[in-house]
Coordinates of all heavy atoms in Angstrom, one line a residue:
M1 N 0.8 -1.2 0.0 CA 0.0 0.0 0.0 C 0.9 1.3 0.0 O 1.9 1.3 0.7 CB -0.9 0.0 1.2 CG -2.1 0.9 1.1 SD -3.2 0.6 2.5 CE -3.7 -1.1 2.3
E2 N 0.5 2.2 -0.8 CA 1.3 3.4 -0.9 C 1.2 4.2 0.4 O 0.2 4.3 1.0 CB 0.8 4.3 -2.1 CG 1.7 5.4 -2.4 CD 1.0 6.3 -3.5 OE1 0.4 5.7 -4.4 OE2 1.2 7.5 -3.4
S3 N 2.4 4.7 0.8 CA 2.4 5.5 2.0 C 2.1 7.0 1.7 O 2.7 7.5 0.7 CB 3.8 5.4 2.6 OG 4.0 6.3 3.6
S4 N 1.3 7.6 2.4 CA 0.9 9.0 2.2 C 0.6 9.7 3.5 O 0.1 9.1 4.4 CB -0.3 9.0 1.3 OG -0.9 10.3 1.3
I5 N 0.9 11.0 3.6 CA 0.5 11.7 4.8 C -0.7 12.6 4.5 O -1.1 13.4 5.3 CB 1.6 12.5 5.4 CG1 2.2 13.4 4.4 CG2 2.7 11.6 6.0 CD1 3.1 14.5 5.1
A6 N -1.4 12.4 3.3 CA -2.6 13.1 3.1 C -3.7 12.7 4.0 O -4.6 13.4 4.3 CB -3.0 13.0 1.6
Y7 N -3.7 11.4 4.4 CA -4.7 10.8 5.2 C -4.0 9.9 6.2 O -3.3 9.0 5.8 CB -5.6 9.9 4.2 CG -6.6 9.1 4.9 CD1 -7.8 9.7 5.5 CD2 -6.5 7.7 5.0 CE1 -8.7 9.0 6.1 CE2 -7.5 7.0 5.6 CZ -8.6 7.6 6.2 OH -9.6 6.9 6.8
M8 N -4.1 10.3 7.5 CA -3.3 9.5 8.4 C -4.0 9.2 9.7 O -3.7 9.7 10.8 CB -1.9 10.1 8.7 CG -2.0 11.6 8.9 SD -0.3 12.2 9.2 CE -0.7 13.7 10.0
P9 N -5.1 8.4 9.6 CA -5.8 8.0 10.8 C -5.0 7.2 11.8 O -5.4 7.0 13.0 CB -7.0 7.3 10.3 CG -6.6 6.7 9.0 CD -5.6 7.7 8.4
F10 N -3.9 6.6 11.3 CA -3.1 5.7 12.2 C -1.8 6.4 12.6 O -0.9 5.7 13.1 CB -2.8 4.4 11.4 CG -4.1 3.6 11.1 CD1 -4.7 3.7 9.9 CD2 -4.7 2.7 12.1 CE1 -5.8 2.9 9.6 CE2 -5.8 2.0 11.8 CZ -6.4 2.1 10.5
G11 N -1.7 7.6 12.4 CA -0.5 8.3 12.7 C 0.5 8.1 11.5 O 0.2 7.5 10.5
V12 N 1.8 8.5 11.8 CA 2.8 8.3 10.7 C 4.2 8.3 11.4 O 4.3 8.8 12.5 CB 2.6 9.5 9.7 CG1 3.0 10.8 10.4 CG2 3.4 9.3 8.5
G13 N 5.1 7.7 10.7 CA 6.5 7.7 11.2 C 6.8 6.7 12.3 O 6.1 5.6 12.3
G14 N 7.7 7.0 13.1 CA 8.2 6.0 14.1 C 7.1 5.5 15.1 O 7.2 4.4 15.6
R15 N 6.1 6.3 15.4 CA 5.1 5.9 16.3 C 3.8 5.5 15.6 O 2.7 5.4 16.2 CB 4.7 7.0 17.3 CG 5.9 7.5 18.1 CD 6.5 6.4 18.9 NE 5.6 5.8 19.9 CZ 5.5 6.2 21.2 NH1 6.3 7.1 21.6 NH2 4.7 5.6 22.0
L16 N 3.9 5.1 14.3 CA 2.8 4.7 13.5 C 2.1 3.5 14.3 O 2.7 2.7 14.9 CB 3.3 4.1 12.2 CG 2.3 3.4 11.3 CD1 1.5 4.5 10.6 CD2 3.1 2.6 10.3
C17 N 0.8 3.5 14.2 CA 0.0 2.5 14.9 C 0.4 1.1 14.5 O 0.5 0.7 13.3 CB -1.5 2.6 14.5 SG -2.6 1.3 15.1
V18 N 0.8 0.3 15.5 CA 1.3 -1.1 15.2 C 0.1 -2.0 14.7 O 0.4 -3.0 14.1 CB 2.0 -1.7 16.4 CG1 3.3 -1.0 16.7 CG2 1.2 -1.9 17.6
G19 N -1.1 -1.6 15.1 CA -2.3 -2.4 14.7 C -2.8 -2.0 13.3 O -3.9 -2.5 12.9
M20 N -2.2 -1.1 12.6 CA -2.7 -0.6 11.4 C -3.1 -1.6 10.4 O -4.3 -1.7 9.9 CB -1.8 0.4 10.7 CG -2.3 1.0 9.4 SD -1.2 2.2 8.7 CE 0.0 1.1 7.9
R21 N -2.2 -2.5 10.0 CA -2.5 -3.5 9.0 C -3.6 -4.5 9.5 O -4.5 -4.9 8.7 CB -1.2 -4.3 8.6 CG -0.4 -3.3 7.7 CD 0.8 -3.9 7.2 NE 1.5 -2.9 6.3 CZ 2.2 -1.9 6.8 NH1 2.4 -1.9 8.1 NH2 2.8 -1.1 6.0
F22 N -3.5 -4.9 10.8 CA -4.6 -5.7 11.3 C -5.9 -5.0 11.2 O -6.9 -5.6 10.7 CB -4.3 -6.0 12.8 CG -5.3 -6.8 13.5 CD1 -5.5 -8.1 13.3 CD2 -6.2 -6.1 14.4 CE1 -6.5 -8.8 13.9 CE2 -7.2 -6.8 15.0 CZ -7.4 -8.2 14.8
A23 N -6.0 -3.7 11.6 CA -7.3 -3.0 11.6 C -7.8 -2.8 10.2 O -9.0 -3.0 9.9 CB -7.0 -1.6 12.3
Q24 N -6.9 -2.6 9.2 CA -7.3 -2.4 7.8 C -7.8 -3.7 7.3 O -8.8 -3.7 6.6 CB -6.1 -1.9 7.0 CG -5.8 -0.5 7.2 CD -4.5 0.0 6.5 OE1 -3.7 -0.8 6.2 NE2 -4.4 1.3 6.3
N25 N -7.2 -4.8 7.6 CA -7.7 -6.1 7.2 C -9.0 -6.5 7.8 O -9.9 -7.1 7.1 CB -6.7 -7.2 7.4 CG -5.5 -7.1 6.4 OD1 -5.7 -6.7 5.3 ND2 -4.4 -7.5 6.8
E26 N -9.2 -6.2 9.1 CA -10.5 -6.4 9.7 C -11.6 -5.6 9.0 O -12.7 -6.1 8.8 CB -10.4 -5.9 11.2 CG -9.7 -6.8 12.1 CD -10.5 -8.0 12.6 OE1 -11.5 -7.7 13.3 OE2 -10.2 -9.1 12.2
L27 N -11.3 -4.4 8.7 CA -12.3 -3.5 8.0 C -12.6 -4.1 6.6 O -13.8 -4.2 6.3 CB -11.7 -2.1 7.9 CG -12.8 -1.1 7.3 CD1 -13.9 -1.0 8.3 CD2 -12.1 0.3 7.1
R28 N -11.6 -4.6 5.9 CA -11.9 -5.2 4.6 C -12.8 -6.4 4.7 O -13.7 -6.6 4.0 CB -10.6 -5.6 3.9 CG -9.8 -4.4 3.4 CD -8.5 -4.8 2.7 NE -7.7 -3.6 2.5 CZ -6.5 -3.4 3.0 NH1 -6.0 -4.3 3.9 NH2 -5.9 -2.3 2.8
A29 N -12.5 -7.2 5.8 CA -13.2 -8.5 6.0 C -14.7 -8.1 6.3 O -15.6 -8.7 5.9 CB -12.6 -9.3 7.1
A30 N -14.9 -7.0 7.1 CA -16.2 -6.6 7.5 C -17.0 -6.1 6.3 O -18.2 -6.4 6.2 CB -16.1 -5.5 8.6
V31 N -16.3 -5.3 5.5 CA -17.0 -4.8 4.3 C -17.4 -5.9 3.4 O -18.5 -6.0 2.8 CB -16.1 -3.7 3.5 CG1 -16.8 -3.4 2.2 CG2 -16.0 -2.5 4.4
A32 N -16.5 -6.9 3.2 CA -16.7 -8.1 2.3 C -17.9 -8.8 2.9 O -18.8 -9.2 2.1 CB -15.5 -9.0 2.3
Q33 N -18.0 -9.1 4.2 CA -19.1 -9.8 4.8 C -20.4 -9.0 4.6 O -21.5 -9.6 4.3 CB -18.9 -10.0 6.3 CG -18.0 -11.1 6.6 CD -18.5 -12.5 6.0 OE1 -19.6 -12.8 6.2 NE2 -17.6 -13.2 5.4
L34 N -20.4 -7.7 4.7 CA -21.5 -6.8 4.6 C -22.1 -7.0 3.1 O -23.3 -7.2 2.9 CB -21.2 -5.4 4.9 CG -22.3 -4.4 4.6 CD1 -23.3 -4.5 5.8 CD2 -21.8 -3.0 4.5
L35 N -21.1 -6.9 2.1 CA -21.6 -6.9 0.8 C -22.0 -8.3 0.3 O -22.9 -8.5 -0.5 CB -20.5 -6.4 -0.2 CG -20.1 -4.9 0.1 CD1 -18.9 -4.5 -0.8 CD2 -21.3 -4.0 -0.2
L36 N -21.4 -9.4 1.0 CA -21.8 -10.7 0.6 C -23.2 -11.0 1.2 O -24.0 -11.8 0.5 CB -20.8 -11.7 1.3 CG -19.6 -12.0 0.5 CD1 -18.6 -12.9 1.4 CD2 -19.9 -12.8 -0.8
N37 N -23.6 -10.5 2.3 CA -24.8 -10.9 3.0 C -25.9 -9.9 2.8 O -27.1 -10.2 3.1 CB -24.5 -11.1 4.5 CG -23.6 -12.3 4.7 OD1 -24.0 -13.4 4.2 ND2 -22.5 -12.1 5.3
Y38 N -25.6 -8.7 2.4 CA -26.7 -7.6 2.3 C -26.6 -6.9 0.9 O -25.5 -6.8 0.3 CB -26.5 -6.6 3.4 CG -26.7 -7.2 4.8 CD1 -25.7 -7.7 5.5 CD2 -28.0 -7.3 5.3 CE1 -25.9 -8.3 6.7 CE2 -28.2 -7.9 6.5 CZ -27.1 -8.4 7.2 OH -27.3 -9.0 8.4
R39 N -27.7 -6.4 0.5 CA -27.8 -5.6 -0.7 C -27.9 -4.2 -0.3 O -28.8 -3.9 0.6 CB -29.1 -6.0 -1.5 CG -28.8 -6.4 -2.9 CD -30.1 -6.8 -3.6 NE -30.0 -8.2 -3.9 CZ -30.8 -9.2 -3.4 NH1 -31.8 -8.9 -2.7 NH2 -30.6 -10.4 -3.8
L40 N -27.1 -3.3 -0.8 CA -27.3 -1.8 -0.5 C -28.0 -1.2 -1.6 O -27.5 -1.1 -2.8 CB -25.9 -1.2 -0.3 CG -24.9 -1.9 0.7 CD1 -23.7 -1.1 0.8 CD2 -25.6 -2.1 2.0
I41 N -29.2 -0.7 -1.3 CA -30.1 -0.1 -2.4 C -30.3 1.4 -2.1 O -30.8 1.8 -1.1 CB -31.4 -0.9 -2.4 CG1 -31.2 -2.4 -2.6 CG2 -32.4 -0.3 -3.4 CD1 -32.3 -3.2 -2.0
P42 N -29.8 2.2 -3.1 CA -30.0 3.6 -3.0 C -31.5 4.0 -3.0 O -32.3 3.3 -3.8 CB -29.3 4.2 -4.2 CG -29.0 3.1 -5.1 CD -29.2 1.8 -4.3
D43 N -31.9 4.9 -2.2 CA -33.3 5.4 -2.2 C -33.7 6.1 -3.5 O -33.1 7.1 -3.8 CB -33.6 6.3 -1.0 CG -35.0 6.6 -0.8 OD1 -35.8 6.6 -1.8 OD2 -35.4 7.0 0.3
P44 N -34.6 5.5 -4.3 CA -34.9 6.1 -5.6 C -35.6 7.5 -5.5 O -35.7 8.3 -6.4 CB -35.8 5.1 -6.3 CG -36.4 4.3 -5.2 CD -35.4 4.3 -4.1
N45 N -36.1 7.8 -4.3 CA -36.9 9.0 -4.1 C -36.0 10.2 -3.8 O -36.5 11.3 -3.7 CB -37.9 8.8 -3.0 CG -38.9 7.7 -3.3 OD1 -39.3 7.6 -4.4 ND2 -39.1 6.8 -2.3
I46 N -34.7 10.0 -3.5 CA -33.8 11.1 -3.2 C -32.8 11.3 -4.3 O -32.0 10.4 -4.6 CB -33.1 10.8 -1.8 CG1 -34.2 10.8 -0.7 CG2 -32.1 11.8 -1.6 CD1 -33.7 10.7 0.7
D47 N -32.9 12.5 -4.9 CA -31.9 12.8 -5.9 C -30.6 13.2 -5.3 O -30.5 13.7 -4.2 CB -32.4 14.1 -6.7 CG -33.6 13.7 -7.6 OD1 -33.7 12.6 -8.0 OD2 -34.4 14.6 -7.8
L48 N -29.5 12.8 -6.0 CA -28.2 13.2 -5.4 C -28.0 14.7 -5.7 O -28.0 15.1 -6.8 CB -27.1 12.4 -6.2 CG -26.9 11.0 -5.6 CD1 -25.7 10.3 -6.4 CD2 -26.6 10.9 -4.2
V49 N -27.8 15.4 -4.6 CA -27.4 16.8 -4.7 C -26.0 17.0 -4.1 O -25.7 16.5 -3.1 CB -28.4 17.7 -3.8 CG1 -28.0 19.1 -3.9 CG2 -29.8 17.4 -4.3
Y50 N -25.2 17.6 -4.9 CA -23.8 17.7 -4.6 C -23.4 19.0 -3.9 O -24.0 20.0 -4.2 CB -22.9 17.5 -5.8 CG -23.0 16.1 -6.4 CD1 -23.8 15.9 -7.5 CD2 -22.4 15.0 -5.8 CE1 -24.0 14.6 -8.0 CE2 -22.6 13.7 -6.3 CZ -23.4 13.5 -7.5 OH -23.5 12.3 -8.0
F51 N -22.4 19.0 -3.0 CA -21.9 20.2 -2.5 C -21.2 21.0 -3.6 O -20.5 20.4 -4.4 CB -20.9 20.0 -1.4 CG -21.5 19.5 -0.1 CD1 -21.4 18.2 0.4 CD2 -22.1 20.5 0.7 CE1 -21.9 17.8 1.6 CE2 -22.7 20.1 1.9 CZ -22.6 18.8 2.3
N52 N -21.4 22.3 -3.7 CA -20.7 23.1 -4.6 C -19.3 23.5 -4.0 O -19.2 23.8 -2.9 CB -21.4 24.4 -5.0 CG -22.6 24.1 -5.9 OD1 -22.5 23.2 -6.7 ND2 -23.7 24.8 -5.7
G53 N -18.3 23.6 -4.9 CA -17.0 24.1 -4.5 C -16.1 23.2 -3.7 O -15.0 23.5 -3.3
N54 N -16.6 21.9 -3.5 CA -15.7 20.9 -2.9 C -14.6 20.5 -4.0 O -15.0 20.4 -5.2 CB -16.4 19.7 -2.4 CG -16.9 19.9 -1.0 OD1 -16.8 21.0 -0.4 ND2 -17.4 18.8 -0.4
I55 N -13.4 20.1 -3.5 CA -12.4 19.6 -4.5 C -12.9 18.3 -5.0 O -12.8 17.9 -6.1 CB -11.1 19.5 -3.8 CG1 -10.5 20.9 -3.5 CG2 -10.1 18.7 -4.6 CD1 -9.2 21.0 -2.8
I56 N -13.4 17.5 -4.1 CA -13.9 16.2 -4.5 C -15.5 16.2 -4.6 O -16.1 17.0 -3.8 CB -13.5 15.0 -3.6 CG1 -13.9 15.3 -2.1 CG2 -12.0 14.7 -3.7 CD1 -13.9 14.0 -1.3
L57 N -16.0 15.4 -5.4 CA -17.5 15.4 -5.6 C -18.1 14.7 -4.4 O -17.8 13.5 -4.2 CB -17.8 14.6 -6.9 CG -19.2 14.8 -7.5 CD1 -19.4 16.2 -7.9 CD2 -19.3 13.9 -8.7
S58 N -18.9 15.4 -3.6 CA -19.5 14.7 -2.5 C -21.0 15.1 -2.3 O -21.3 16.3 -2.4 CB -18.7 15.0 -1.2 OG -18.4 16.4 -1.1
P59 N -21.8 14.1 -2.2 CA -23.2 14.3 -2.1 C -23.6 14.9 -0.7 O -23.0 14.6 0.3 CB -23.8 12.9 -2.3 CG -22.8 12.0 -1.9 CD -21.5 12.6 -2.2
K60 N -24.7 15.7 -0.7 CA -25.2 16.3 0.5 C -25.8 15.2 1.4 O -25.8 15.2 2.6 CB -26.1 17.4 0.3 CG -25.5 18.7 -0.2 CD -26.4 19.8 -0.3 CE -25.7 21.1 -0.6 NZ -26.5 22.2 -1.0
Q61 N -26.5 14.3 0.7 CA -27.2 13.3 1.5 C -27.3 12.0 0.7 O -27.5 12.0 -0.5 CB -28.7 13.8 1.7 CG -29.5 13.0 2.6 CD -30.9 13.5 2.6 OE1 -31.4 14.2 1.8 NE2 -31.7 13.1 3.7
V62 N -27.1 10.9 1.4 CA -27.2 9.6 0.7 C -28.1 8.7 1.6 O -27.8 8.5 2.8 CB -25.8 8.9 0.5 CG1 -26.0 7.5 -0.2 CG2 -24.9 9.8 -0.3
M63 N -29.1 8.2 1.0 CA -30.0 7.3 1.8 C -29.9 5.9 1.1 O -30.1 5.7 -0.1 CB -31.5 7.8 1.7 CG -31.7 9.1 2.4 SD -31.4 9.0 4.2 CE -33.0 8.4 4.7
I64 N -29.6 4.9 2.0 CA -29.4 3.6 1.4 C -30.2 2.6 2.3 O -30.2 2.6 3.5 CB -27.9 3.2 1.4 CG1 -27.2 4.0 0.3 CG2 -27.7 1.7 1.2 CD1 -25.7 3.8 0.3
R65 N -30.9 1.7 1.6 CA -31.7 0.7 2.3 C -30.8 -0.6 2.3 O -30.1 -0.9 1.3 CB -33.0 0.4 1.5 CG -34.0 -0.1 2.5 CD -35.4 -0.2 1.8 NE -35.4 -1.3 0.8 CZ -35.8 -1.1 -0.4 NH1 -36.1 0.1 -0.9 NH2 -35.8 -2.1 -1.3
I66 N -30.7 -1.2 3.4 CA -29.9 -2.4 3.5 C -30.9 -3.6 3.6 O -31.7 -3.7 4.5 CB -29.0 -2.4 4.8 CG1 -28.0 -1.2 4.6 CG2 -28.2 -3.7 4.9 CD1 -27.1 -1.0 5.8
E67 N -30.7 -4.5 2.6 CA -31.6 -5.6 2.5 C -30.9 -6.9 2.6 O -29.8 -7.1 2.0 CB -32.3 -5.5 1.2 CG -33.7 -6.0 1.1 CD -34.3 -5.7 -0.3 OE1 -34.0 -6.5 -1.2 OE2 -35.1 -4.8 -0.4
K68 N -31.3 -7.9 3.4 CA -30.7 -9.2 3.5 C -30.8 -9.9 2.2 O -31.8 -9.9 1.5 CB -31.4 -10.0 4.6 CG -30.7 -11.3 4.9 CD -30.0 -11.2 6.3 CE -29.2 -12.5 6.6 NZ -27.9 -12.6 6.1
R69 N -29.6 -10.5 1.7 CA -29.6 -11.2 0.4 C -30.3 -12.6 0.6 O -30.2 -13.2 1.7 CB -28.2 -11.5 -0.1 CG -27.6 -10.3 -0.6 CD -26.2 -10.6 -1.2 NE -25.5 -9.4 -1.6 CZ -25.6 -8.8 -2.7 NH1 -26.4 -9.2 -3.7 NH2 -24.9 -7.7 -2.9
Ligands
HEM1 C1 -9.3 1.6 13.3 C2 -8.5 1.2 14.1 C3 -7.3 1.9 14.7 C4 -7.0 3.3 14.5 C5 -7.7 4.3 13.8 C6 -5.7 3.5 15.3 C7 -5.1 4.7 15.3 C8 -3.9 4.9 16.0 C9 -3.2 6.1 16.2 C10 -3.6 7.5 15.6 C11 -2.1 5.9 16.9 C12 -1.0 7.0 17.3 C13 0.1 7.0 16.3 C14 1.0 8.1 16.6 O1 1.3 8.4 17.8 O2 1.6 8.7 15.6 C15 -2.1 4.5 17.3 C16 -1.1 3.9 18.0 C17 -1.1 2.6 18.4 N1 -2.0 1.7 18.0 FE1 -3.6 2.0 16.9 N2 -5.3 2.3 15.8 C18 -6.3 1.3 15.5 C19 -6.2 0.0 15.8 C20 -5.2 -0.6 16.5 C21 -5.2 -2.0 16.8 C22 -6.2 -3.1 16.4 C23 -4.1 -2.2 17.6 C24 -3.5 -3.5 18.2 C25 -3.9 -4.7 17.8 C26 -3.4 -1.0 17.8 C27 -2.3 -0.7 18.5 C28 -1.7 0.5 18.6 C29 -0.4 0.7 19.4 C30 0.3 -0.4 20.2 C31 -0.1 2.0 19.3 C32 1.2 2.7 19.9 C33 2.3 2.6 18.9 C34 3.5 3.4 19.4 O3 3.3 4.4 20.1 O4 4.6 3.0 19.0 N3 -4.2 0.0 17.1 N4 -3.2 3.9 16.7

């Protein structure tokens, strides 16, 4: 994984979180289980409205229904 200090929830450098890789793998496993077992369905009644002026495109509101597969 590329090292970057643009995003550093685990700290950086000599005191970098020792559990970082473990925590990242746990998260990947959790997301995989979520997607394997549930369907994420966007609410068709809510249009995506984006924030103006953000560097990245980000919606103001996202409504998702979670349905068991
Ligand atoms: C989402 C999960 C986690 C986040 C966001 C997180 C974040 C952090 C951060 C910000 C630090 C301070 C880094 C610094 O001082 O520069 C840290 C240190 C540390 N973390 Fe985590 N951590 C997570 C999970 C874990 C896990 C699962 C373990 C152990 C299994 C762990 C063990 C440690 C230890 C031992 C330190 C001290 C490292 C040192 O000072 O040398 N962390 N963590």
Side-chain angles (χ1 to χ4, degrees):
M1 200 174 295
E2 191 184 321
S3 166
S4 164
I5 55 163
Y7 174 72
M8 42 180 203
F10 297 97
V12 68
R15 302 301 299 266
L16 175 78
C17 173
V18 295
M20 180 178 78
R21 285 182 180 80
F22 174 76
Q24 287 174 336
N25 284 331
E26 284 280 294
L27 188 62
R28 288 183 190 113
V31 171
Q33 282 300 315
L34 177 76
L35 296 177
L36 277 171
N37 294 302
Y38 297 90
R39 234 176 249 122
L40 307 184
I41 302 157
D43 186 335
N45 302 316
I46 293 189
D47 289 332
L48 278 185
V49 178
Y50 296 100
F51 284 108
N52 285 327
N54 271 10
I55 289 177
I56 57 164
L57 196 61
S58 42
K60 284 189 173 165
Q61 188 185 20
V62 179
M63 295 294 277
I64 289 177
R65 208 171 69 234
I66 299 178
E67 213 175 75
K68 188 107 181 88
R69 285 187 191 271

